[in-house]
Amino acid sequence: MYVADMKILVVEDEPKLASFVKKGLEEQSCEVDVAYDGQVGRNMALNNLYDVIVLDINLPKMNGFDVVQSIRQEKNRTPVLMLTAMGSVDDKLTGFEAGADDYLVKPFEFRELMARLRALTKRSSDAGMQTNVLKVADLELDLNEKVARRGEKRIELTAKEFGLLDYLMRNRGRVVSRVDIAEKVWDIHFDTGTNVIDVYVNFLRKKIDKDFPTKLIHTVIGMGYMLKED
């Protein structure tokens, strides 16, 4: 799928970079709107239909983390690519937790930006074409609504909790290592000393397993995690 004919919002306060991205996207037959501060970007995202949003973090009036969190709170599911010089693992985690879908660190090559946008728009359109529901035991994960249900209980998930549960459910009955999860869910390589994967698995356990007698998320000592029925 090509990015051509997509409507894209670019939220970037550096005029030269904003102009560069806008020009490049327009050469690919995209329609591009630009906002130069976070507050305007948020309002444009909520008041217009876009296929994807390209969002800086360090913005006047409202930073990118707050922008994406705010539009997600309004149930806006437009794919968001964060484009920023802030490339640490903590920055990426904060962005993903706020609701971003992808992360590209400056400086970047325009063709990589295009590849990321293609992937995001394809994922979004694929989800819109079919009703995708993953099921394990009495647990269901709705890939369109981005929510889980267990029995009669609806479970709201953050972006990264959703990604983690999606990955575990697709690999039901198979042990997945922390390295597997870091690469497939976060798309970043963690230092071996970090416990962020364990923290997120515990977040998920509290939501998925805590109130139910049958536990689905299992720790395999020294190897990783597995989602399965007992």
Side-chain angles (χ1 to χ4, degrees):
M1 177 179 177
Y2 297 100
V3 180
D5 302 322
M6 292 291 169
K7 186 171 183 180
I8 298 174
L9 173 63
V10 176
V11 189
E12 169 61 62
D13 66 324
E14 297 178 31
K16 285 185 179 179
L17 181 56
S19 177
F20 166 74
V21 173
K22 177 179 170 68
K23 184 173 182 290
L25 290 173
E26 287 178 342
E27 286 174 355
Q28 300 294 322
S29 301
C30 297
E31 182 182 342
V32 183
D33 290 340
V34 177
Y36 297 99
D37 70 62
Q39 208 167 71
V40 171
R42 174 193 176 277
N43 293 339
M44 290 174 71
L46 292 176
N47 292 313
N48 299 278
L49 289 175
Y50 293 103
D51 295 293
V52 65
I53 298 168
V54 178
L55 178 66
D56 190 15
I57 291 178
N58 285 325
L59 293 164
K61 297 185 180 179
M62 190 177 194
N63 71 49
F65 295 139
D66 291 340
V67 172
V68 68
Q69 189 170 40
S70 176
I71 68 173
R72 293 296 184 242
Q73 287 171 349
E74 297 294 329
K75 307 302 182 187
N76 184 311
R77 299 297 180 191
T78 306
V80 173
L81 169 72
M82 294 200 124
L83 186 64
T84 177
M86 297 170 64
S88 74
V89 170
D90 285 343
D91 292 328
K92 291 180 178 180
L93 282 175
T94 302
F96 286 133
E97 182 63 18
D101 299 279
D102 201 358
Y103 210 107
L104 185 58
V105 179
K106 301 174 185 174
F108 62 93
E109 288 194 32
F110 189 78
R111 62 182 179 175
E112 183 176 3
L113 172 62
M114 293 301 297
R116 300 290 186 96
L117 293 179
R118 268 195 290 272
L120 283 178
T121 52
K122 181 179 188 304
R123 195 184 313 162
S124 179
S125 65
D126 285 351
M129 285 190 296
Q130 52 189 321
T131 301
N132 287 328
V133 179
L134 300 177
K135 295 183 182 181
V136 176
D138 60 344
L139 175 64
E140 294 186 357
L141 186 66
D142 189 314
L143 304 185
N144 291 346
E145 289 188 34
K146 308 289 188 190
V147 296
R149 294 180 182 85
R150 188 156 185 200
E152 299 299 314
K153 184 181 178 184
R154 177 185 169 105
I155 302 165
E156 299 288 343
L157 301 169
T158 66
K160 278 298 108 179
E161 289 167 352
F162 175 85
L164 176 57
L165 184 57
D166 182 321
Y167 184 65
L168 290 173
M169 292 182 76
R170 290 180 192 273
N171 289 278
R172 59 182 295 177
R174 185 172 80 86
V175 178
V176 292
S177 71
R178 290 169 179 79
V179 172
D180 290 334
I181 294 170
E183 291 182 354
K184 302 298 184 184
V185 180
W186 274 268
D187 194 29
I188 42 182
H189 301 276
F190 287 107
D191 296 332
T192 51
T194 185
N195 68 338
V196 69
I197 302 298
D198 309 283
V199 169
Y200 270 88
V201 170
N202 286 334
F203 286 163
L204 211 49
R205 275 193 169 124
K206 288 177 182 175
K207 293 186 175 184
I208 300 301
D209 280 343
K210 184 181 177 185
D211 298 328
F212 298 89
T214 302
K215 308 307 177 189
L216 297 178
I217 301 173
H218 304 273
T219 301
V220 183
I221 303 298
M223 296 178 70
Y225 297 100
M226 179 189 294
L227 191 141
K228 65 169 185 173
E229 271 189 273
D230 272 333

